[in-house]
Amino acid sequence: MSQEQPRRAQLNQAEVYAQAQGEPIKYGDVFLVQGELARETIAPLDAAMMQSAENQVLGQTQKGGAASVMQSAADRNEQAGLVGHCEVSDLPADLGVAVTETDFPGRRIVTEAVGGQVVGKYEEPAPVGMGTMPAAVQQGDAITIGEALETTAITAGEKPVEQSDAAAIQAGEVRATRTNEVLPGGVSAQAQSAATANTRVMRDEDKVKIRDVLSDATTRLPADKAATREDADRVAVSEMRNDPDMATHPEGVAANVAEAARLNRDRRF
């Protein structure tokens, strides 16, 4: 990606300046933005939201893209003790982040924005093919959040349930059922109990696994809905926020909800 080296050089210069001044790296230090956004600190959850948006639209975090630069800046700000691990800046929190693509024959234009201002725009070859969900959830209708949860029992079934998994499952259940309540006996309640119990178990083979919680998710949800980008964003942020490394599992809940939402978009559901 042609923007990678200039952005990295600018980020390194911004870090040197920020360290000398005892200040955090701000959006205006690494992106051509103006006004309030230029003065705002790049925070960890800002980067997490952009990573989720890139994964949702492009299928992966882009090397040298906005998420990569934001993550590096946020890491440096956090290491310097200038921002909290779960902190988000005002404009990204209020106006969000966005990644859009415009398709042309053999190529696509990707535009990335934070708080309504463009932070990156670049061209890349059009993808040859799209990723697919496992066969168990490929149907003629739109793929639901419940089906994406069940898919996780296949793709990451052997993984012990951790707090990040439980948080992602809860976010999925909330989006599917359109209620903010944890349902007694539901998949979210079981996932939280499993994550708590697993902290007291030493051996991984003795821990409750994701397959134990999600293999029948669709039958245990009182309501369900087709997965959308907004659903995927909420699930991804929840998973990242509860992961020590601020990351999502490549075959976990957030990844499968994002894939379901992307397939639904491409199939125009």
Side-chain angles (χ1 to χ4, degrees):
M1 191 176 299
S2 60
Q3 65 184 349
E4 181 179 0
Q5 290 183 345
R7 275 188 173 175
R8 287 296 173 187
Q10 194 170 5
L11 179 60
N12 291 335
Q13 292 172 359
E15 181 183 19
V16 171
Y17 177 80
Q19 287 178 340
Q21 300 296 317
E23 295 181 356
I25 300 173
K26 302 179 178 64
Y27 281 94
D29 297 328
V30 293
F31 297 116
L32 296 176
V33 294
Q34 302 176 2
E36 183 180 348
L37 181 63
R39 298 186 292 272
E40 290 211 343
T41 298
I42 300 177
L45 283 186
D46 303 3
M49 288 191 293
M50 183 59 80
Q51 179 182 342
S52 173
E54 286 189 0
N55 285 335
Q56 167 65 28
V57 175
L58 307 175
Q60 62 183 353
T61 299
Q62 300 297 291
K63 185 177 181 180
S68 175
V69 174
M70 289 167 65
Q71 187 64 63
S72 295
D75 287 345
R76 296 175 191 187
N77 286 340
E78 184 177 356
Q79 290 165 5
L82 300 171
V83 67
H85 185 62
C86 292
E87 191 168 331
V88 61
S89 295
D90 290 339
L91 276 180
D94 293 340
L95 299 179
V97 304
V99 177
T100 58
E101 57 181 347
T102 305
D103 294 319
F104 296 94
R107 64 189 178 96
R108 64 179 176 180
I109 304 296
V110 177
T111 304
E112 301 182 290
V114 176
Q117 295 193 48
V118 173
V119 296
K121 190 170 185 178
Y122 52 92
E123 178 180 320
E124 63 180 24
V128 175
M130 305 298 293
T132 60
M133 300 287 283
V137 296
Q138 291 191 33
Q139 301 177 3
D141 297 328
I143 300 169
T144 67
I145 293 173
E147 288 172 330
L149 294 177
E150 282 192 1
T151 298
T152 310
I154 301 171
T155 60
E158 295 299 316
K159 180 183 183 297
V161 181
E162 299 178 305
Q163 186 56 47
S164 58
D165 305 312
I169 291 167
Q170 180 179 347
E173 183 180 80
V174 165
R175 298 293 294 184
T177 61
R178 299 175 177 85
T179 175
N180 289 323
E181 298 179 1
V182 176
L183 305 174
V187 289
S188 173
Q190 184 182 0
Q192 185 58 63
S193 296
T196 301
N198 282 347
T199 61
R200 299 190 287 267
V201 178
M202 294 296 295
R203 302 192 309 167
D204 280 355
E205 55 264 38
D206 296 329
K207 294 181 179 181
V208 181
K209 307 298 195 301
I210 284 181
R211 69 168 184 269
D212 300 322
V213 176
L214 294 180
S215 60
D216 58 351
T218 55
T219 63
R220 296 173 58 199
L221 288 173
D224 206 352
K225 66 182 287 290
T228 66
R229 176 178 173 178
E230 290 74 19
D231 301 327
D233 288 345
R234 293 294 182 88
V235 172
V237 169
S238 294
E239 187 170 326
M240 291 176 188
R241 183 175 251 165
N242 288 275
D243 182 84
D245 298 322
M246 291 288 289
T248 60
H249 189 281
E251 297 179 331
V253 174
N256 282 305
V257 175
E259 180 71 353
R262 186 151 54 92
L263 287 171
N264 287 341
R265 181 203 64 188
D266 293 340
R267 294 154 68 193
R268 301 187 185 281
F269 284 113

